[in-house]
Amino acid sequence: MKNSRSFFAVALVATIAFSSCNNGSEDHDNAPPLITRSSVTQTTPEETYYIPDKYLELDGEPVTQVAPDAVMSEDPETIRSGTWFCYDPSESSYLFFDHTEKMGAEIRVNSGVAETIMYELSEDNKSVNFYSRRFDSYVVVNYIDPTHAELVLPAKDGGEKIKKPMLYVSEDRFNSFILYTDQEFEKMAIDYYNDHTTKKKNNLLAQCVTGEDSMVLINLYIITGAGDMKIYETYTVNRLDAMGTDSQGNVIDLK
C-alpha cells in the first residue's frame, strides 16, 4: 500500500558541532558548523524529509534565509542558486546555493547527513569557493554550462586536482527540496518487491548505486549458501520522487 508523500510542518533539532582549528597556517575558525538531523517529525517511519530550518542559529545568532519567491532570477550562464547534484563514486551528494545569503548546504545521499556551507562567489558568478567539512579542504565549484559544473579538490602530495561532475537539478532552495536517501530506498525496494510477488523473500537484501545522472540503481539480492550474490530484481528510480522502472521496463513507484 502506497504512502502519500507531501509537505508538512517539521520540527528539526540541529545538533551543531563546531571546533576551531588554528595550527599556525590556515585558520578554519570560519568553517561552518556540522548539522545533523537528530529528530524529525514525519508522517510515516519510512519517510524522512530534509527541509532545513527557515531560521537557523549559527553560534547563537539567527540567520534568516530569503524565501524562494523573493530571490531574483539569475543569468543561466552562471553558478545559479538552487540545487546541484555532485557525483562521487564513494557517496554522492546534493549541494544547495543561495546567492542572496552566500549560504548553502550539502546533503549526502546515503545517510542524509547535512552540513551548512558559507561560500564566496566570484565577480562573474562562475565559481564558488567554500570550506568543505566533508573533504576537510577548501574546494571550488566552476561553471561549465547552464546545467553542468565541476567541483575541484586541491592536489595533494604532488598529485593532480580531483574533479567531480555536478548537475543542476532544480531551483528549489533549502526549505523546499525533498529527497530519499539510500537507506530509505533499500527498505522501500524490499517492501515493494515483497508486496508485488507471490514468492516473498525474508532474507532479501538491497544495494543502491547512484549514477552520474543522479538516477539510483537498486539491486535486490540474497547471499547463497556458497557466499555468492543472487540478484532477483533491479529497480532504477529517481531520488526525488521514488518513481522509475523495474528490470522489465515496467513503471514502478516505491512510495
Side-chain angles (χ1 to χ4, degrees):
M1 183 175 181
K2 296 180 181 178
N3 296 319
S4 62
R5 184 176 176 86
S6 60
F7 293 101
F8 60 96
V10 295
L12 297 177
V13 176
T15 302
I16 301 181
F18 179 74
S19 59
S20 299
C21 173
N22 188 353
N23 55 11
S25 55
E26 196 157 23
D27 186 357
H28 290 174
D29 284 351
N30 293 323
L34 172 67
I35 293 181
T36 57
R37 308 297 181 185
S38 59
S39 176
V40 182
T41 300
Q42 51 197 41
T43 54
T44 67
E46 295 81 15
E47 297 178 346
T48 303
Y49 299 76
Y50 298 98
I51 307 177
D53 305 296
K54 185 173 182 180
Y55 297 99
L56 178 66
E57 287 194 357
L58 299 179
D59 296 333
E61 295 296 327
V63 177
T64 303
Q65 296 179 3
V66 177
D69 56 6
V71 179
M72 297 180 64
S73 60
E74 300 167 9
D75 183 352
E77 295 188 2
T78 62
I79 300 292
R80 291 181 287 170
S81 292
T83 305
W84 292 79
F85 170 74
C86 181
Y87 173 74
D88 187 325
S90 60
E91 184 178 10
S92 298
S93 62
Y94 284 87
L95 286 165
F96 304 85
F97 296 129
D98 188 340
H99 297 340
T100 60
E101 294 288 340
K102 302 298 189 295
M103 177 179 178
E106 181 178 26
I107 296 180
R108 305 183 195 183
V109 300
N110 183 21
S111 61
V113 171
E115 298 173 351
T116 55
I117 55 176
M118 304 294 186
Y119 59 87
E120 295 293 332
L121 189 64
S122 64
E123 291 185 2
D124 60 3
N125 288 9
K126 290 185 181 292
S127 66
V128 170
N129 187 333
F130 64 93
Y131 176 75
S132 170
R133 197 176 288 275
R134 175 186 177 188
F135 295 111
D136 191 24
S137 173
Y138 282 92
V139 300
V140 178
V141 174
N142 291 323
Y143 169 86
I144 295 178
D145 62 40
T147 58
H148 296 84
E150 199 170 51
L151 185 145
V152 183
L153 294 169
K156 292 184 178 180
D157 301 324
E160 296 183 354
K161 294 181 178 179
I162 301 174
K163 299 179 179 180
K164 300 181 183 296
M166 293 179 60
L167 180 67
Y168 189 73
V169 177
S170 77
E171 296 180 354
D172 288 342
R173 306 302 207 274
F174 310 124
N175 60 348
S176 57
F177 186 76
I178 299 174
L179 63 82
Y180 288 95
T181 67
D182 287 354
Q183 295 173 3
E184 290 171 313
F185 269 153
E186 288 167 4
K187 183 181 186 308
M188 293 165 67
I190 292 173
D191 290 344
Y192 183 90
Y193 179 86
N194 283 328
D195 287 344
H196 290 79
T197 182
T198 57
K199 299 180 180 180
K200 299 182 184 297
K201 300 290 180 183
N202 295 326
N203 58 341
L204 196 63
L205 301 172
Q207 178 188 51
C208 292
V209 179
T210 303
E212 290 191 34
D213 59 355
S214 79
M215 295 295 286
V216 184
L217 179 71
I218 308 174
N219 291 315
L220 295 172
Y221 66 95
I222 64 168
I223 301 298
T224 66
D228 298 323
M229 177 189 291
K230 182 178 180 180
I231 296 179
Y232 277 85
E233 180 59 281
T234 299
Y235 299 145
T236 302
V237 295
N238 188 308
R239 190 174 292 281
L240 308 187
D241 61 14
M243 296 183 65
T245 57
D246 61 17
S247 59
Q248 303 300 313
N250 300 310
V251 175
I252 63 172
D253 186 345
L254 298 185
K255 298 189 292 296

